[in-house]
Amino acid sequence: MDSATSDLTARPPLRSTADNGLKIVVVGGFGVGKTTMVRSVSDIRPLNTEETMTRAGVGVDDADDVPTKTTTTIAFDFGRISLDARTVLYLFGAPGQERFWFLWDRLFTGTLGAVVLVDTRRLVDSWYAIDRLEHHGMPFIVARNDFGGPQYSADDVREALDLPETVPLIDCDARSRESSKEVLITLVDHLYALSSSARERTT
Ligand SMILES: Nc1nc2c(ncn2[C@@H]2O[C@H](COP(=O)(O)OP(=O)(O)OP(=O)(O)O)[C@@H](O)[C@H]2O)c(=O)[nH]1
Ligand SMILES: [Mg+2]
């Protein structure tokens, strides 16, 4: 058996009891680890639309802060994870480069919530994502991906991103399946809390 096949069989199939499917997007600036997160957490072999960054992108692709990066997402990433016997998340990773941002509004269609990944070395790159999500009225959480950047306090990050206390902010390592799963659980808990309080207000 080759490694690709064994990799696939190691991933659990979708449970027959799964009847609660939620579409989730992972957004954020260029190179913050969106594709890495979808890859690390997905139960199925993820679909990626990665292309090699060539010299043609110099001056267009802002790769100065991520010098080890050789590919970039040009459409979206797709993965799937079962959180429990009933709940399955369909994960879409957005492309981070500005020239592909026009795809985001389409990706948001039917989405219940979002993870905004941030790199503390480049917090400003996440402003656009937060702005778009607020524009769409879409619930989201913020996850600080660990690139070994400055260890700002949570309050400093909230202030820099103008994040209200009601938006969860957590730390993660997108390369770790467990850590990425924790991010998704935090988002789903947040979505349930929001829908419960909305229900309480209407009763
Ligand atoms: N140190 C560290 N590196 C990471 C982490 N997550 C991702 N990386 C690395 O950062 C680089 C960028 O990761 P990607 O997942 O391609 O980033 P992206 O946000 O999908 O990038 P675009 O789609 O091009 O915007 C890769 O080389 C990853 O290996 C992390 O948590 N820590
Ligand atoms: Mg990507």
Side-chain angles (χ1 to χ4, degrees), residues 34-35 50 69 72-73 77 94:
K34 301 174 294 294
T35 299
E50 295 293 288
K69 196 160 156 54
T72 188
T73 306
D77 314 299

Side-chain angles (χ1 to χ4, degrees), residues 24-119:
I24 301 296
V25 291
V26 182
V27 290
F30 173 57
V32 292
K34 301 174 294 294
T35 299
T36 305
M37 176 170 276
V38 173
R39 275 188 184 155
S40 70
V41 85
S42 182
D43 289 337
I44 56 171
R45 188 161 60 175
L47 167 78
N48 297 125
T49 57
E50 295 293 288
E51 284 297 338
T52 305
M53 289 163 51
T54 63
R55 290 192 57 77
V58 173
V60 180
D61 304 336
D62 185 10
D64 291 353
D65 292 316
V66 273
T68 55
K69 196 160 156 54
T70 54
T71 64
T72 188
T73 306
I74 57 157
F76 61 88
D77 314 299
F78 174 72
R80 191 195 75 202
I81 176 173
S82 299
L83 279 193
D84 55 38
R86 292 190 52 198
T87 311
V88 55
L89 304 187
Y90 295 97
L91 295 177
F92 290 79
Q97 290 191 57
E98 190 169 345
R99 59 193 166 123
F100 300 124
W101 283 353
F102 68 94
L103 294 168
W104 285 24
D105 287 347
R106 282 286 174 85
L107 268 185
F108 288 170
T109 307
T111 297
L112 284 187
V115 173
V116 179
L117 266 187
V118 301
D119 175 348

Side-chain angles (χ1 to χ4, degrees), residues 4-5 12 28 42 59-60 73 88 115 117 134 140 161 166 173 186 203:
T5 319
S42 182
V60 180
T73 306
V88 55
V115 173
L117 266 187
E134 287 179 345
F140 65 93
L161 297 177
T166 47
D173 182 332
T186 304
T203 52

Side-chain angles (χ1 to χ4, degrees), residues 23-25 111-116 133-134 136-142 167-168 187 190-192 194-195:
K23 179 181 171 187
I24 301 296
V25 291
T111 297
L112 284 187
V115 173
V116 179
L133 293 169
E134 287 179 345
H136 282 266
M138 191 184 302
F140 65 93
I141 66 164
V142 173
V167 175
L187 174 62
H190 181 53
L191 295 178
Y192 278 125
L194 289 177
S195 80

